[in-house]
Amino acid sequence: MQLLDGVKVSEEILKEIQSEVAARVQNNKKVPHLAAILVGEDPASQTYVASKVKTCDFLGFKSTLSRLAPDTTEAELLALIETYNADSDIDGILVQLPLPKHISEDKVINTIHPEKDVDGFHPNSIGKMVLGQDTFIPATPNGIMMMLQHYGIDTVGKHCVVIGRSNIVGTPMSLLMSRNTNPGNCTVTLTHSKTKNLKELCLEADIIVAAIGRPKYVTADMVKEGAIIVDVGINRIEDATKKSGFRLVGDVDFDTVKEKASYITPVPGGVGKMTICALMQNTLKACKD
Ligand code: NDP
């Protein structure tokens, strides 16, 4: 079994981006500027946003973090996004999801200017991705593609089972893996909570991408010998031995599944690191000359 090490791979890619930014500075070119918006006080969201801002600092990007109160109205949030849309210094806009229930995520995503849509969630970006046109690809699936490419994993003709069909992970992942690219060129089965024979499908899979949000859901008896396992899940489970009182586990039962897998991503230190990397790449791409 080989570990797909998101820490190592993301460090390498981030260093490359850092060098590109340094070269831009030397050539008096604009430095990428990411505006992040966090509504409310969800602890996981706070951690994710903090880590994105920290990565911007490391790369030499500019960043602006707006922390908005949980009772911020939808109109107030949309107005802030419009301000950022109009600000020529800001290249990328990121609104941390999930949002409080009184705010429509669709409206928020649709308000971000497609040229600043570094999360790749805008209908323009998704539409272009489906058509194989150049665009911002959602960070988590794109990060996974970068990881597979980095390890030179040949996916052509393989059967890939994606578990979960969210707009931000499962659905774009299934599209990317089915495209005529490498990584890609898989025969893809997209599964969800209404799928009846998940275990049988998984047992036929050469590649499993688990994006469910259920701790350790994919167990060794669901996995074929030699399968490639990509674990997107980030779940907090209680752990009295930790100072925080919890620890993070994925959607895959890592300790047992690793005995059968040819490659596997750990949690933490796998897909999460690659997601930030892909977001930073999108922000660099958004920064026009
Ligand atoms: P969502 O809750 O939006 O989607 C979960 C999907 O899993 C749904 O499509 C749901 O089906 C499906 N599902 C739920 N239960 C089952 C089941 N028993 N069998 C098969 N499918 C099931 O989650 P996200 O896609 O946003 O996130 C998934 C996980 O990935 C979470 O743990 C999240 O924290 C993590 N994540 C990690 C990221 C990273 O950078 N590593 C980035 C984003 C998310 P249905 O549609 O029928 O409800």
Side-chain angles (χ1 to χ4, degrees), residues 48 139-141 144 162-171 190-195 198 210-215 217 231-235 249-251 267 270-276:
Y48 298 148
T140 300
I144 294 169
V162 178
I163 318 177
R165 58 177 161 187
S166 71
N167 288 344
I168 65 169
V169 189
T171 294
L190 179 59
T191 66
H192 45 77
S193 68
K194 309 292 186 295
T195 299
L198 184 64
I212 318 164
R214 289 176 177 242
Y217 191 80
D231 189 355
V232 182
I234 302 179
N235 308 289
V249 296
D251 289 343
V267 177
V271 174
K273 291 280 178 197
M274 296 307 299
T275 296
I276 295 193

Side-chain angles (χ1 to χ4, degrees), residues 150-197:
H150 183 93
Y151 280 92
I153 294 174
D154 182 14
T155 59
V156 177
K158 300 236 159 88
H159 180 203
C160 174
V161 170
V162 178
I163 318 177
R165 58 177 161 187
S166 71
N167 288 344
I168 65 169
V169 189
T171 294
M173 191 69 222
S174 68
L175 286 162
L176 291 176
M177 289 303 263
S178 65
R179 283 198 329 199
N180 185 5
T181 53
N182 192 19
N185 270 316
C186 286
T187 304
V188 176
T189 304
L190 179 59
T191 66
H192 45 77
S193 68
K194 309 292 186 295
T195 299
K196 287 205 171 120
N197 53 340

